[in-house]
Amino acid sequence: TSVLQIFAGIGLLIYGIIIMGEALQAIAGDRLRKLIGSLTSTPFKGLLVGTAVTSILQSSSATTVMVVSFVDAGFMTLTQAVGVILGANIGTTVTAQLIAFKINDLASICAIVGAALCILSRKKRNKQIGVGLVGFGLLFIGMEMMQEPLAFLKSRPDLITVFGDHLALAFLSGLLITLLVQSSSATVGLT
């Protein structure tokens, strides 16, 4: 059942990231697209925008897909896109920082408030905000679900130190996990 609990936690974490990102994209909509296009005049500005957008959306994939569509539509140049994509990869690390703050209690409150907004609100925007809050809550509830089954690793540091001795093995493990779950945020959280 421990393995099942780990996979359930990963599933909640990924689902939380997905619905939170989709809700934020729906809320921001065209304003987000215009903002990215106008604020990426230099690669450094693009890096900052990519970091900020990915920190909010919690998905570098969503940011990258938007950027590719902007380049394809002619809204951005390749130079602008490179800065934003690099920033998107930096923005992914915000998940790890949020996990470090240990905001599990806040996550449950966000999920409850978000569910209430989804159920009780009649305005589409408020419902989207509710979905975003539920996604944020699920992200950390999923993390919390994985903590107990993975606690045995604290008593078995030899399992973790294997990666310190073999950087290629650590790299490949991170690559494989990210390919399987399709979320670098989930991989960072699991680590």
Side-chain angles (χ1 to χ4, degrees), residues 143-160:
M143 290 288 186
E144 194 172 351
M145 282 180 72
M146 291 185 288
Q147 284 178 355
E148 184 184 331
L150 293 173
F152 79 94
L153 291 174
K154 289 181 182 176
S155 62
R156 296 284 316 266
D158 56 311
L159 294 175
I160 302 297

Side-chain angles (χ1 to χ4, degrees), residues 108-121 126-127 129-135:
S108 298
I109 293 168
C110 284
I112 292 167
V113 170
L117 276 172
C118 288
I119 294 167
L120 302 174
S121 182
N126 289 344
K127 286 183 182 271
I129 291 170
V131 170
L133 286 171
V134 168

Side-chain angles (χ1 to χ4, degrees), residues 156-171:
R156 296 284 316 266
D158 56 311
L159 294 175
I160 302 297
T161 55
V162 156
F163 292 118
D165 296 337
H166 305 285
L167 293 178
L169 181 62
F171 173 79

Side-chain angles (χ1 to χ4, degrees), residues 87-151:
N89 290 312
I90 294 169
T92 299
T93 63
V94 170
T95 302
Q97 189 57 54
L98 289 173
I99 293 165
F101 288 144
K102 303 204 184 296
I103 56 176
N104 291 338
D105 293 337
L106 178 62
S108 298
I109 293 168
C110 284
I112 292 167
V113 170
L117 276 172
C118 288
I119 294 167
L120 302 174
S121 182
R122 293 177 192 234
K123 292 183 179 179
K124 187 175 181 180
R125 181 175 168 80
N126 289 344
K127 286 183 182 271
Q128 290 294 340
I129 291 170
V131 170
L133 286 171
V134 168
F136 182 78
L138 288 178
L139 189 145
F140 290 99
I141 291 168
M143 290 288 186
E144 194 172 351
M145 282 180 72
M146 291 185 288
Q147 284 178 355
E148 184 184 331
L150 293 173

Side-chain angles (χ1 to χ4, degrees), residues 6-7 55 78 96 190:
I6 291 170
F7 283 116
S55 298
L78 184 60
L190 186 60

Side-chain angles (χ1 to χ4, degrees), residues 53-100:
V53 169
T54 304
S55 298
I56 293 167
L57 295 179
Q58 288 295 303
S59 173
S60 59
S61 299
T63 304
T64 302
V65 167
M66 283 192 302
V67 168
V68 169
S69 68
F70 295 158
V71 171
D72 185 47
F75 294 133
M76 292 176 73
T77 65
L78 184 60
T79 306
Q80 289 172 307
V82 168
V84 176
I85 290 171
L86 289 173
N89 290 312
I90 294 169
T92 299
T93 63
V94 170
T95 302
Q97 189 57 54
L98 289 173
I99 293 165

Side-chain angles (χ1 to χ4, degrees), residues 36-56:
I36 289 176
S38 66
L39 293 178
T40 57
S41 58
T42 67
F44 182 72
K45 285 182 181 178
L47 181 117
L48 295 176
V49 168
T51 301
V53 169
T54 304
S55 298
I56 293 167

